[in-house]
Amino acid sequence: MPIRFIWSIAILCLIAAPIGCRSPEQSQNAQRTVTIYVSTDRVFSEPVLREYEKRSGVRVNAVYDTEETKSTGLANRLIAEQARPQADVFWSNEPVRTLVLKSRGVLAPYRSPSAEGIPSALVDSEGYWTGFSARIRVIAYNTKLVKPAEPPQSIFDLTDPKWRGQVAMADPRFGSTSFHVAALYAMAGDEKMDDFFRRLKANGVRIVDGNSVVRDLVARGEAKVGLTDTDDVNVAIEDGQPIAMVLPDATGLGVPVMPNMVSLIAKGPHAEEGRRLIDYLLSADVERQLAQSEAVQIPLHAGVQGPKNIPGIETFKPMTLDYTKAATRVEDVTGRLAGILGL
């Protein structure tokens, strides 16, 4: 072979090295990427995904939702992208939106081997979603303004005149609050819940942009009590702020338990990498990490130590909920509440 030709090949390889002259192994590694849409708070979910990058060598492109539109914004985006999906995995911080996506044909079935040991009630029988690492909806109260024997024990107590102008809750059209209200309507019925929210409105409830805002108002004493999530309250407890929590309706409807849910997106661009990421998210290692972090989420795998400051799931009565039934009500319920609460 002529020397001039050999040098020409060498020069071309140097010029094209970033693309054309990689070994097959290098090319395969360069293409290993996965895209996940995440509605769980970034401060909690990002360390999990960064750890997966370190362990797997796969680049994780994570798209996070905003505090104001938790899960709703990304769910709408997934529906809009259905013809040309951009995401491979959806990690939702509440069940309802995942079930809406299933009903719209956005999700693909995948039964992860890592789901073994997770209670069957939190695994879709058709394989479209799997629950893990649960949170609880709670009533937070300011410990300087409310004595330990005085906080409301049920959400229905929030309409008592003694709490007039002192109750805060996040916009019920979004995030975990939308799950909570849809679950309540599904269990208690329209008449009872419409009446409750009318009375809550008349009692001067403050509707704010997110659960963390509820927590901050209560911690500062600008509201005495508020509906929020365990992870939000725990952040303030760990910071030494004057706040505590009550598990609502423990002797009535039951305490609302919200698992995270993870799903594979139908026709996602990196389906195999999506399955591997799901396997990791459903592992006991991730549940342990989320339990020990400020997320203080309750593990669903047996044998994984639960978080401090949060009661174990075996210590209270969870709300017995048909998640699918709640999901079918979410659009109707949030529309009803927009009118009742003047949103």
Side-chain angles (χ1 to χ4, degrees), residues 7-88:
W7 275 107
S8 297
I9 294 294
I11 291 169
L12 285 172
C13 277
L14 286 172
I15 294 172
I19 301 174
C21 294
R22 288 176 173 168
S23 68
E25 293 80 7
Q26 289 173 319
S27 297
Q28 184 179 11
N29 288 337
Q31 293 170 4
R32 293 189 69 196
T33 185
V34 65
T35 297
I36 181 170
Y37 287 3
V38 186
S39 66
T40 294
D41 288 347
R42 183 170 184 169
V43 67
F44 305 140
S45 55
E46 189 169 42
V48 171
L49 298 174
R50 296 292 80 85
E51 179 64 23
Y52 179 71
E53 284 187 322
K54 291 178 184 177
R55 295 190 187 191
S56 67
V58 176
R59 183 173 65 85
V60 178
N61 174 31
V63 179
Y64 300 93
D65 218 335
T66 65
E67 175 67 18
E68 293 79 8
T69 62
K70 276 295 171 65
S71 76
T72 307
L74 287 179
N76 289 339
R77 180 169 174 173
L78 286 165
I79 292 169
E81 294 174 351
Q82 187 170 7
R84 297 184 64 184
Q86 303 300 304
D88 305 295

Side-chain angles (χ1 to χ4, degrees), residues 11-210:
I11 291 169
L12 285 172
C13 277
L14 286 172
I15 294 172
I19 301 174
C21 294
R22 288 176 173 168
S23 68
E25 293 80 7
Q26 289 173 319
S27 297
Q28 184 179 11
N29 288 337
Q31 293 170 4
R32 293 189 69 196
T33 185
V34 65
T35 297
I36 181 170
Y37 287 3
V38 186
S39 66
T40 294
D41 288 347
R42 183 170 184 169
V43 67
F44 305 140
S45 55
E46 189 169 42
V48 171
L49 298 174
R50 296 292 80 85
E51 179 64 23
Y52 179 71
E53 284 187 322
K54 291 178 184 177
R55 295 190 187 191
S56 67
V58 176
R59 183 173 65 85
V60 178
N61 174 31
V63 179
Y64 300 93
D65 218 335
T66 65
E67 175 67 18
E68 293 79 8
T69 62
K70 276 295 171 65
S71 76
T72 307
L74 287 179
N76 289 339
R77 180 169 174 173
L78 286 165
I79 292 169
E81 294 174 351
Q82 187 170 7
R84 297 184 64 184
Q86 303 300 304
D88 305 295
V89 176
F90 182 44
W91 175 359
S92 177
N93 70 336
E94 52 84 25
V96 170
R97 229 60 59 176
T98 296
L99 293 164
V100 170
L101 292 174
K102 177 187 174 182
S103 70
R104 298 287 189 92
V106 174
L107 308 180
Y110 175 57
R111 299 181 186 277
S112 171
S114 298
E116 184 175 352
I118 292 176
S120 59
L122 297 174
V123 179
D124 182 37
S125 61
E126 298 177 303
Y128 285 89
W129 54 266
T130 307
F132 68 106
S133 293
R135 293 173 297 150
I136 308 171
R137 291 288 291 173
V138 296
I139 297 174
Y141 65 95
N142 185 291
T143 56
K144 290 184 176 180
L145 302 176
V146 181
K147 295 178 181 179
E150 294 179 346
Q153 299 300 306
S154 165
I155 63 157
F156 299 105
D157 294 339
L158 298 175
T159 61
D160 190 307
K162 72 179 180 180
W163 304 116
R164 184 178 302 278
Q166 295 297 327
V167 178
M169 67 179 290
D171 190 323
R173 294 174 294 178
F174 307 113
S176 57
T177 310
S178 70
F179 156 76
H180 193 183
V181 298
L184 289 167
Y185 270 86
M187 290 197 68
D190 293 3
E191 183 177 353
K192 182 172 182 176
M193 295 315 303
D194 280 353
D195 177 67
F196 165 73
F197 280 107
R198 289 192 186 100
R199 291 164 59 204
L200 194 63
K201 170 71 171 175
N203 213 32
V205 64
R206 296 178 62 176
I207 307 297
V208 298
D209 285 341

